[in-house]
Amino acid sequence: MSFIKDDWFTVTQIDEATYAISEFGHWEKVHSYLLIGRDKAALIDTGLGIDNIRRITDQLTSLPITVLTTHVHWDHIGSHGKYADIFVHEQEEGWLVNGIKGLPIEQIRNDVARDITLPTPPTFNPKTYRPYQGKPKGILKDMDTLDLGNRNLQIYHTPGHSPGHVAIFDMKKGYLFSGDLIYDETPIYAFFPSTSPEDLVRSLDRMANLTEVKKIYGGHNSIGLDSDILDEVKELTTYLKKYELIRFGTGVHRIGRFSVQF
Ligand SMILES: [Zn+2]
Ligand SMILES: [Zn+2]
């Protein structure tokens, strides 16, 4: 069970009931995460949609799967259409149903197709690629909890990169699934009109003050960051406040592994 060979997805076993499902063949290095409880499983995001992630989750669990959307950007909702139970924060339900505002389809098609280093399946055609649109099964709100059976997940509304972004905390294991709020290597983007540098800093401060975080699993780049990256996050938000840099156009700001771009 622990090792799955696949042409497009790379499966990393984090522990006996947690997997990262990664798309290293694409420049964005996107990760989705499968969390298996006693009664059901949660899939945090569904990837780029270049290939069908359901092929992987079907091999990892036969339990019913609830999809938790960290945020409605095209690179995190790619295989949403392959699942029935999709949940999204109330502030991005409209984007899921009606499409993401402000990002032309030509740009999405250009971004999904460029810098690909692995063979893509014949079903993938960047010329006709369209981000998932559909009605979610349910709505997420700040401080909601989801019980997978002996495994509880806490939802935190963490706007900034997008208005309805959520981070998901696995209370038993101390894992924080941080989506596009915290990851390493490349900056967290908050320079689109739909983003908010002020909200991002507030959300970062809130997550940096969480106790009992052991590992952080972001939506891109490295899988599993030690919790001391939260010290760098805190240091950066302190610096941004001190020098009044929390506004559009101030560029990239970095402390250690963590950076933001406004
Ligand atoms: Zn995003
Ligand atoms: Zn992303």
Side-chain angles (χ1 to χ4, degrees):
M1 275 290 271
S2 67
F3 187 72
I4 286 174
K5 194 99 193 77
D6 192 85
D7 287 340
W8 181 252
F9 296 100
T10 302
V11 179
T12 304
Q13 184 162 24
I14 294 168
D15 62 36
E16 71 293 342
T18 313
Y19 299 87
I21 306 170
S22 307
E23 298 176 66
F24 291 117
H26 188 266
W27 63 277
E28 284 204 18
K29 290 187 275 181
V30 172
H31 311 299
S32 308
Y33 296 95
L34 183 69
L35 286 56
I36 300 171
R38 190 192 53 217
D39 307 323
K40 54 183 179 179
L43 178 62
I44 298 175
D45 293 342
T46 62
L48 293 157
I50 289 175
D51 208 343
N52 178 7
I53 207 170
R54 180 86 194 236
R55 178 175 72 240
I56 303 298
T57 59
D58 278 351
Q59 294 175 71
L60 293 168
T61 187
S62 52
L63 293 172
I65 292 176
T66 298
V67 171
L68 301 175
T69 312
T70 62
H71 63 301
V72 181
H73 280 168
W74 60 270
D75 48 337
H76 297 266
I77 59 169
S79 287
H80 267 40
K82 309 294 181 191
Y83 298 89
D85 290 353
I86 292 165
F87 284 72
V88 68
H89 188 269
E90 53 186 344
Q91 286 192 33
E92 286 179 19
E93 183 186 15
W95 285 7
L96 201 63
V97 173
N98 304 311
I100 307 156
K101 293 277 169 299
L103 191 57
I105 187 71
E106 294 74 24
Q107 194 189 327
I108 293 174
R109 287 175 179 165
N110 185 54
D111 280 341
V112 76
R114 71 183 168 90
D115 302 316
I116 291 177
T117 54
L118 284 176
T120 54
T123 46
F124 173 62
N125 181 357
K127 290 190 178 67
T128 56
Y129 177 91
R130 221 163 244 296
Y132 169 83
Q133 276 179 244
K135 217 177 150 36
K137 168 97 177 283
I139 291 299
L140 300 172
K141 291 187 171 145
D142 189 48
M143 300 310 280
D144 277 352
T145 56
L146 178 70
D147 184 4
L148 304 178
N150 203 27
R151 189 170 189 181
N152 279 301
L153 307 179
Q154 174 98 53
I155 306 295
Y156 289 99
H157 180 215
T158 50
H161 173 73
S162 68
H165 189 285
V166 299
I168 296 140
F169 186 55
D170 183 330
M171 295 185 251
K172 192 170 160 190
K173 294 179 184 280
Y175 300 157
L176 180 64
F177 296 91
S178 54
D180 283 7
L181 176 68
I182 301 170
Y183 49 71
D184 68 349
E185 294 176 14
T186 50
I188 300 295
Y189 297 132
F191 55 77
F192 305 128
S194 58
T195 65
S196 164
E198 294 83 4
D199 285 351
L200 187 78
V201 167
R202 256 193 301 275
S203 296
L204 287 170
D205 277 340
R206 190 174 177 212
M207 293 301 100
N209 286 322
L210 281 186
T211 51
E212 293 169 27
V213 174
K214 292 194 179 78
K215 280 274 186 185
I216 293 153
Y217 294 95
H220 301 269
N221 303 331
S222 298
I223 301 171
L225 300 163
D226 289 332
S227 58
D228 62 1
I229 196 172
L230 295 178
D231 298 335
E232 293 166 356
V233 168
K234 220 178 226 174
E235 215 182 304
L236 184 62
T237 61
T238 305
Y239 166 85
L240 294 170
K241 281 180 257 189
K242 186 176 172 195
Y243 293 98
E244 297 181 5
L245 293 165
I246 306 169
R247 54 201 159 78
F248 287 132
T250 62
V252 176
H253 311 288
R254 174 182 289 273
I255 301 266
R257 291 160 288 176
F258 186 68
S259 57
V260 298
Q261 184 170 0
F262 294 155

